[in-house]
Amino acid sequence: MYKMILIITLALASIPFAQAADLRSLENLERERARMLSLALSHDMESVQREQRLKAMLRTLVDLERMVLRDDRLLGVADPKVRRAFKHYELTFVSHASMEAQQQVVDFWLEQQGLSTDRILSAKAGLR
């Protein structure tokens, strides 16, 4: 009886850790996408250097998106992060969606946010 209680306790205790491990690929994708967008919107470096770094990051992002799309552990997971990620395909898998739309990743992301290059260039800096 003691062994059965111990086994059940250990099985129940490992459930949250298993679910956290299931989301690791999605969390890595979100982190890398955030880094790429942060770099794209940064004004700390020259445009040529930024473009080179973005190309390198884009390859990593494409690989991570493929990993998430092929990750069977995410199937049937009821976590809100997973549901939101697949509900908003264009924002989660931005490199794949931008290729389908035949646009640059940053331009596509800005368009999904309701922004355009013209709107950004015509914006004025100031306090609201």
Side-chain angles (χ1 to χ4, degrees):
M1 184 69 168
Y2 176 73
K3 286 184 179 180
M4 182 180 282
I5 293 173
L6 181 63
I7 291 171
I8 291 172
T9 304
L10 290 175
L12 291 175
S14 68
I15 290 174
F17 298 116
Q19 288 178 349
D22 291 345
L23 300 179
R24 189 168 294 139
S25 62
L26 182 60
E27 290 170 349
N28 289 339
L29 170 62
E30 291 174 348
R31 191 176 308 109
E32 188 65 23
R33 186 183 60 236
R35 281 186 52 221
M36 191 222 22
L37 292 172
S38 176
L39 175 67
L41 300 174
S42 170
H43 62 307
D44 296 340
M45 63 183 72
E46 297 293 321
S47 61
V48 174
Q49 183 185 11
R50 182 178 329 139
E51 189 68 31
Q52 291 172 343
R53 289 188 59 196
L54 280 173
K55 284 182 182 179
M57 291 179 92
L58 184 60
R59 281 183 244 130
T60 304
L61 189 64
V62 168
D63 289 341
L64 286 171
E65 287 179 6
R66 287 179 181 155
M67 288 171 61
V68 169
L69 287 169
R70 294 176 180 158
D71 193 351
D72 292 336
R73 294 176 300 177
L74 296 176
L75 295 174
V77 175
D79 191 276
K81 288 180 188 178
V82 176
R83 283 187 276 143
R84 185 175 50 248
F86 285 100
K87 182 179 179 185
H88 301 289
Y89 173 87
E90 292 81 12
L91 294 175
T92 304
F93 305 103
V94 69
S95 68
H96 283 79
S98 67
M99 286 180 215
E100 290 172 6
Q102 298 178 348
Q103 290 182 330
Q104 294 290 324
V105 174
V106 177
D107 294 335
F108 182 80
W109 182 80
L110 288 170
E111 181 182 293
Q112 293 298 310
Q113 300 300 320
L115 299 171
S116 67
T117 305
D118 295 332
R119 288 183 67 185
I120 292 173
L121 292 176
S122 67
K124 296 178 184 173
L127 297 175
R128 286 190 162 195

